Amino acid sequence: MATEEDALIKCVVNELVGDKWRAENGFRGGFFNHVEKELQKFLPGTTLKANPHIDSKVKYWKVTWAKIVDIIGLSGFGWDDVNKRIVVEKDVWENYEKVTSKISISTSNALSQY
C-alpha cells in the first residue's frame, strides 16, 4: 500500500499546485475522478478508485493534518521537518495523553505526507 499511497500523494499534490481544483470547502466536483485517472499513469493497473479509496484517504489526511497543527501549536511540541515527526519530550507527551482522550498520532512514526 505504501507505493500506492506515495503515488496518490504525488497525484494530489501535483493537481493542487494551481487553483483549478480548489473550492471553498474542499475540491471541485470531479477532482477525485481526475486523480484516479492520473494515478493510473503513476501505477498502471492500480485498483484504487475515486470513491471510496481516494476520497477517504484525503479525508483522513485532512483530519490528521488538523490534529498535527493543533498539537504542534501547544507549548512543548514542535515539528521535525527533516524526519517528518512531532518532536516532544516524553513527560510533556505523557501529560498530554492524560488530558486527551483520543490520540491517534504517534510521535515515533514518520508522517511523510505532511
Side-chain angles (χ1 to χ4, degrees):
M1 181 64 177
T3 303
E4 284 184 333
E5 187 169 292
D6 290 343
L8 177 57
I9 292 166
K10 289 176 186 174
C11 287
V12 170
V13 169
N14 286 340
E15 292 304 318
L16 292 178
V17 170
D19 291 331
K20 179 180 175 183
W21 292 104
R22 292 183 187 174
E24 267 187 51
N25 294 323
F27 306 106
R28 294 180 190 266
F31 174 72
F32 295 123
N33 289 326
H34 180 74
V35 171
E36 178 184 326
K37 290 175 187 171
E38 291 296 310
L39 186 59
Q40 285 291 331
K41 295 176 186 175
F42 284 97
L43 285 174
T46 184
T47 58
L48 290 180
K49 298 293 179 195
N51 196 343
H53 306 114
I54 297 170
D55 181 44
S56 64
K57 182 56 78 173
V58 171
K59 285 179 183 176
Y60 171 78
W61 291 338
K62 284 182 175 182
V63 169
T64 303
W65 177 248
K67 289 177 185 178
I68 291 170
V69 169
D70 288 346
I71 289 173
I72 63 176
L74 298 172
S75 178
F77 290 82
W79 180 254
D80 178 352
D81 201 35
V82 173
N83 295 309
K84 308 297 185 198
R85 298 174 193 259
I86 295 171
V87 179
V88 62
E89 296 294 327
K90 186 175 181 174
D91 61 324
V92 174
W93 181 255
E94 288 171 353
N95 287 333
Y96 179 76
E97 284 181 311
K98 288 178 187 175
V99 298
T100 307
S101 60
K102 293 182 180 178
I103 298 176
S104 61
I105 297 175
S106 170
T107 57
S108 61
N109 295 328
L111 302 164
S112 62
Q113 62 266 38
Y114 299 100

